Amino acid sequence: MRRGREEPGWLRGEPPPRWARLAPVVALVVLVLAQVLTPGDVELGYFLAGLPPVAAFAYGAAGTAFFAALVLMLLGVPALGIAHARGSDLATVATVGLLSVVIAWVRRRRDAQLVSVRTVAEAAQLAVLPPVPERVGPVRCSGLYKAAQRGTLVGGDLYDVRAGPYGVRALVGDVQGHGLAAVGTVAALLGAFREAALDDAELAAVAARLDRRLTADATAASDGHPELFATALLLEFPPGLDLVRLVSCGHPPALRLRGPAVEEVAVEPGPPLGLGLAGLAPPPVTELAVRAGDRFLLHTDGVTEARDTAGHFYPLAARLPVVAREPAGPVTGVWRDLVAFTEGGPRDDVALLLLTLPGPA
């Protein structure tokens, strides 16, 4: 399962790239050669004083101190013919070098702390929303999750697939808001779903449990937060039956891929979760006959509400027959096509979940 947005490793606290470590070395060689080949009345060697600060961004305190000492030697030894620094000039260069060493030491400590914090944060987020296994019972699964907020793995979207005594059940949902503020609600809904997948015999009862969970959390919130809600789509593949049951709580419909054909699964939508309405009017359950090899693509509105530069929405149903033929699979194909369509990727959380029944596609 793919998570988050790609960031350069050196922005995540990882070691800097090779070019960053080579830059001060190359600059040193170029400046020294330029000074040697330049007439004596033009001094370029003083540009060497800028190397220790540059080195501080790629090297630790020891490496930066080496560059600072080397620059001092090149500037302070007249016999080398690089420069003829004296007194206050050398003191200034030495001060710059010392400050560069301090900066390098602080940067290394910050990088170590950043790696530690990020590791803990990623572990916590993966505990909330672990990768979907390749197979749950007889159903093959493939998922993709992209959080809108940079540096996070989990946003306001959620999905899960669980096997239980009543068959394989799947959930795709979209919590109001996104980013870290929505992670607590995502965790609560996933926990309720995992319990309901084992305990509740009816799919409508699963939706009712999720609604109660969200309603209780909204009521107990310190800020009142009466507008807390989420949309969700629930699927159930009961054992021994060639059908799928679906319950929609205000969520975008699933798409069924049967060979080259793609159709939107018509489901009568119920109210979103968290409005306290499930107990009064249970969401309707739709049953649909299935065949071996049928594939169901579940998604959040981050896909269908993504726009191109002209303001047009992404036509998922129309594009799916084309991108589904990619060797990497429909999920990766949709994401690549979505990034190209929006010229960089959507600004909302995106969740895609593909469920494939055993048999020929």
Side-chain angles (χ1 to χ4, degrees):
M1 183 181 66
R2 303 177 184 271
R3 295 287 187 86
R5 297 185 181 276
E6 299 295 331
E7 293 180 353
W10 65 298
L11 295 180
R12 301 197 304 267
E14 298 177 5
R18 179 175 297 180
W19 64 263
R21 298 179 64 85
L22 291 178
V25 178
V26 173
L28 176 66
V29 173
V30 170
L31 286 173
V32 170
L33 290 178
Q35 181 60 62
V36 171
L37 299 176
T38 302
D41 57 343
V42 178
E43 291 191 0
L44 301 175
Y46 287 105
F47 286 104
L48 293 171
L51 293 185
V54 174
F57 286 97
Y59 291 85
T64 304
F66 171 79
F67 276 98
L70 184 60
V71 168
L72 278 174
M73 182 186 70
L74 292 174
L75 296 180
V77 179
L80 297 176
I82 303 302
H84 301 86
R86 292 292 186 274
S88 60
D89 293 334
L90 287 176
T92 301
V93 174
T95 301
V96 172
L98 179 60
L99 291 175
S100 299
V101 172
V102 173
I103 291 172
W105 179 78
V106 172
R107 182 189 62 80
R108 277 293 175 90
R109 282 180 58 86
R110 181 203 62 84
D111 288 349
Q113 293 173 349
L114 179 61
V115 170
S116 178
V117 170
R118 187 178 181 88
T119 301
V120 173
E122 290 183 353
Q125 293 178 76
L126 288 174
V128 172
L129 189 63
V132 174
E134 294 183 0
R135 182 180 294 271
V136 178
V139 179
R140 296 198 306 273
C141 310
S142 177
L144 181 143
Y145 195 109
K146 297 288 183 178
Q149 184 172 328
R150 296 186 68 90
T152 62
L153 301 180
V154 180
D157 290 355
L158 64 142
Y159 56 50
D160 200 4
V161 185
R162 296 280 161 166
Y166 308 106
V168 176
R169 287 172 167 174
L171 164 69
V172 170
D174 185 357
V175 173
Q176 173 211 23
H178 56 80
L180 294 176
V183 173
T185 304
V186 168
L189 287 176
L190 288 173
F193 169 74
R194 290 160 187 167
E195 291 181 358
L198 300 175
D199 299 337
D200 294 328
E202 301 295 332
L203 195 60
V206 177
R209 184 187 291 236
L210 299 180
D211 180 76
R212 290 195 304 271
R213 175 73 274 165
L214 202 55
T215 302
D217 288 349
T219 303
S222 58
D223 57 357
H225 213 11
E227 71 277 10
L228 181 63
F229 68 91
T231 65
L233 181 64
L234 293 160
L235 271 75
E236 176 184 88
F237 299 98
L241 298 177
D242 294 329
L243 61 86
V244 59
R245 298 189 178 105
L246 303 97
V247 168
S248 173
C249 300
H251 197 78
L255 298 175
R256 178 169 64 177
L257 293 83
R258 177 173 286 176
V262 174
E263 65 172 330
E264 186 177 282
V265 179
V267 178
E268 183 181 350
L273 302 172
L275 300 182
L277 301 178
L280 301 177
V285 179
T286 300
E287 290 190 355
L288 180 70
V290 296
R291 300 178 186 172
D294 278 355
R295 294 177 290 175
F296 291 87
L297 182 66
L298 288 66
H299 61 89
T300 56
D301 59 11
V303 178
T304 51
E305 293 184 1
R307 299 172 182 261
D308 62 9
T309 55
H312 301 124
F313 290 111
Y314 178 69
L316 176 60
R319 296 293 301 160
L320 190 55
V322 177
V323 300
R325 294 196 293 266
E326 284 202 14
V331 168
T332 301
V334 169
W335 173 250
R336 291 175 178 173
D337 191 53
L338 186 60
V339 171
F341 180 83
T342 57
E343 298 185 4
R347 297 182 179 180
D348 195 5
D349 299 324
V350 168
L352 292 164
L353 180 63
L354 182 71
L355 306 175
T356 304
L357 296 178

